[in-house]
Amino acid sequence: MSAPTERAGRRPTIKAVAAAAGVSTAAVSQAFNQKGRLSETTRRRILDAASDLGWSPSAPAAALRNARTRSLALVVRRPTDVLGADPHFSELITGIEGELAPRGYGLLLHLVTGPREENALYERLAAEGRVDGAVLTDARDDDARPALLARLGLPAVLLGSPDDTAVVPRVGLGEQGAGVAEAVAHLLRLGHRRVAYVAGPPELQHTRVRRAAFEEALREAGLRPFAVLHTDFSERMAVGATQALLDARDRPTAVVYANDSMAVCGIGTVQRAGLGVPRDVSVVGYDNLPLGSWLHPRLTTVDQRVQQVGAAAARLLLSLCGEEVGAAALAGRPRLVVRESTGPAPD
Amino acid sequence: MSAPTERAGRRPTIKAVAAAAGVSTAAVSQAFNQKGRLSETTRRRILDAASDLGWSPSAPAAALRNARTRSLALVVRRPTDVLGADPHFSELITGIEGELAPRGYGLLLHLVTGPREENALYERLAAEGRVDGAVLTDARDDDARPALLARLGLPAVLLGSPDDTAVVPRVGLGEQGAGVAEAVAHLLRLGHRRVAYVAGPPELQHTRVRRAAFEEALREAGLRPFAVLHTDFSERMAVGATQALLDARDRPTAVVYANDSMAVCGIGTVQRAGLGVPRDVSVVGYDNLPLGSWLHPRLTTVDQRVQQVGAAAARLLLSLCGEEVGAAALAGRPRLVVRESTGPAPD
DNA sequence: CTCACGAGGTACATCGATTAACCAATCGTT
DNA sequence: AACGATTGGTTAATCGATGTACCTCGTGAG
């Protein structure tokens, strides 16, 4: 009953477990890592002793020894203004965490306000050996991050980029355009001819992909965009763009937004102008955030399965970190979800 | 130019820096930790060498030696149904991260679906020594977490609880009721007499506090609540509760919701029933999420300064972890933000 | 009876940073 | 001139887990 090394408040170490099981620390380690050759009885005795003491191997010690921390980084860029795409990240994180948790991995979350800060953060995370890899979101033109992470020797996965050969693997946004095309087709079927697009920041790659898809879909029908306006995803610019469209001569009868948050702002702006959605103006979003279905009218949007994208990114990154993961591809491409914010064109 | 220990892709260690600066590794460590006695010239030479090599002390090694990881845990409980309070956490995280980042701390984020899973997670995090402390959100009745964390020797801060003596410190929600009282007063001034409350889960402590404040504020005016309905913060129950209120005989002319997400669902439900907000029904939220000001009508809500709460929690927790932080108390109590979703009572 | 072999473990160096204990100059004092 | 006090560092032990190299039995074959 008298534990010789019982110091209050101190976590048990591998030594305590070894002593309790009457073996060496090496044996304990082997029992936990399925490595050496231990008899089944000994192994069980060790595991029992460990669970009695409530012991798990110290993460820092194991990380030091193995040069692997079992944690991944996600850096979220949040401009000084409130980022409209916010709930988007909640969804993404949910998807990522769903894959990490069962494997005992942790997610280190950081918020930054700009590219300079973001890069400095990666430098520090890598230099300190705090993470085994990173998820990069919102691929930009001439994105310096993949090269940086490669130089730092940190595995990374890039989201929001067309699939092409590159320094780091990318996760399936090759068919982003398909969702937008479907949205345009839907609007055309409803008789809309003056359709505008409120896009994100031009330096983001998915902005270009979606914009191109938008324009192409109209061109195929022999039409041209009523307008394409770029924003920084802020509420201010979403409202401003919408207002500009409403003020235009022969205003558009339908507006497609690059994400749901802006679409919500757009609906508000249209209604505030005394117009009806979808009676006077139809609105389409992109993301399929839960939020969209709370509103009246419920938002018609493109479901890009953010959670699945997050999960896919996590699996890919885990495999880059040498983890065994069943390789399940991304399930399905973005699809239009028709709800109430779109209707027949007026007149 | 020939680096003797240049192994490609390998991060530099303290040894490399020591060699480059022509000192011992101890000196390097001292230069970084302001500990020993080093001449200013030597210190600078070391720091220069370190920055040349892009070296930062290995987090796992330092954590092993110091028994401190410089990272904190935030466990978010996300019921299987989509949690309405979601953007709430984005705000909270922003507030927390704002305090952690400048001090080189990391935030380890985990999502769980239930209490059992949550407790197991804390056990593991503590046993593995992965974090120095944890932020607990949404205090519940008979909350087992403070005792658990105390037993595990992990510093913790509890959010969403009235301030009282306890195992772990709590962060300023003592005046939660004030915001609700202000909201009720606002509605009474507008002539409302039939006011209902859509609350959160009864086991959450802030639910009780706010509910009590709601009832008390009405009682002082000689009124009784039209109804108080509990929900689990899901969209389904928010919509259901609202619908029930609308279907009632002499339906309420104003509804106060326990958070903004539910208020948004509520507005949608009212409008879908062919009624106007605030013409027929006034709506008040709680949180002051950005979302609220995007809608039409803009949401009247109680600003509980989630970001500041997060920041305060982080500072408190950091100080519990032995970090020096200027003790800035939580600035101001929750305040009502009057916008467009409330108006004069009908009739 | 002796030896090879395999099963089942153990001893010890190691990962990288930190720090207590210690030592070598240099300086000021009387 | 000799000695104590300072300044400016260094040496070596340590944190906890891991894995290689090694050791010690018991057994079966020759």
Side-chain angles (χ1 to χ4, degrees), chain B residues 62-226:
Chain B
L64 174 58
R65 178 65 227 235
N66 302 337
R68 324 215 24 246
T69 61
R70 300 179 75 83
S71 55
L72 304 177
L74 174 65
V75 178
V76 174
R77 227 155 133 188
R78 180 189 249 283
T80 49
D81 187 1
V82 178
L83 181 68
D86 215 14
H88 175 91
F89 282 108
S90 300
E91 295 279 303
L92 188 66
I93 289 171
T94 304
I96 295 175
E97 248 281 308
E99 296 293 325
L100 300 194
R103 297 182 174 84
Y105 271 69
L107 181 66
L108 204 56
L109 182 68
H110 281 275
L111 305 182
V112 297
T113 58
R116 193 169 293 279
E117 199 185 338
E118 181 173 7
N119 290 348
L121 181 55
Y122 289 127
E123 298 257 16
R124 192 169 65 78
L125 289 176
E128 294 185 349
R130 261 181 184 272
V131 296
D132 297 340
V135 176
L136 310 178
T137 64
D138 287 334
R140 298 186 281 280
D141 291 334
D142 297 325
D143 204 320
R145 295 173 299 170
L148 172 61
L149 281 267
R151 177 165 70 71
L152 296 172
L154 262 194
V157 171
L158 183 58
L159 297 180
S161 157
D163 292 324
D164 50 15
T165 58
V167 191
V168 301
R170 310 176 177 229
V171 165
L173 298 173
E175 294 189 319
Q176 289 229 344
V180 175
E182 209 179 330
V184 171
H186 167 65
L187 291 172
L188 293 179
R189 260 197 310 279
L190 288 170
H192 294 275
R193 290 296 174 268
R194 297 196 302 282
V195 184
Y197 187 66
V198 177
E203 67 272 18
L204 297 191
Q205 295 199 10
H206 66 64
T207 292
R208 269 217 322 280
V209 173
R210 295 186 204 163
R211 172 185 179 155
F214 174 78
E215 292 171 340
E216 173 60 19
L218 283 179
R219 180 162 37 242
E220 280 179 4
L223 295 174
R224 304 182 46 169
F226 179 89

Side-chain angles (χ1 to χ4, degrees), chain A residues 141 160-163 173-181 197 201-202 204-216 286:
Chain A
D141 291 334
S161 158
D163 293 324
L173 298 172
E175 295 190 317
Q176 289 230 344
V180 175
Y197 187 67
L204 297 190
Q205 294 198 11
H206 65 65
T207 292
R208 266 216 324 278
V209 173
R210 296 186 203 162
R211 172 184 180 154
F214 174 78
E215 292 172 340
E216 173 60 18
Y286 197 103

Side-chain angles (χ1 to χ4, degrees), chain A residues 141-155:
Chain A
D141 291 334
D142 296 325
D143 203 320
R145 296 173 299 170
L148 172 60
L149 281 266
R151 179 166 67 72
L152 296 172
L154 263 195

Side-chain angles (χ1 to χ4, degrees), chain A residues 181-197:
Chain A
E182 210 179 329
V184 171
H186 166 65
L187 291 172
L188 293 179
R189 259 197 312 279
L190 288 169
H192 293 275
R193 290 296 173 269
R194 297 196 302 282
V195 184
Y197 187 67

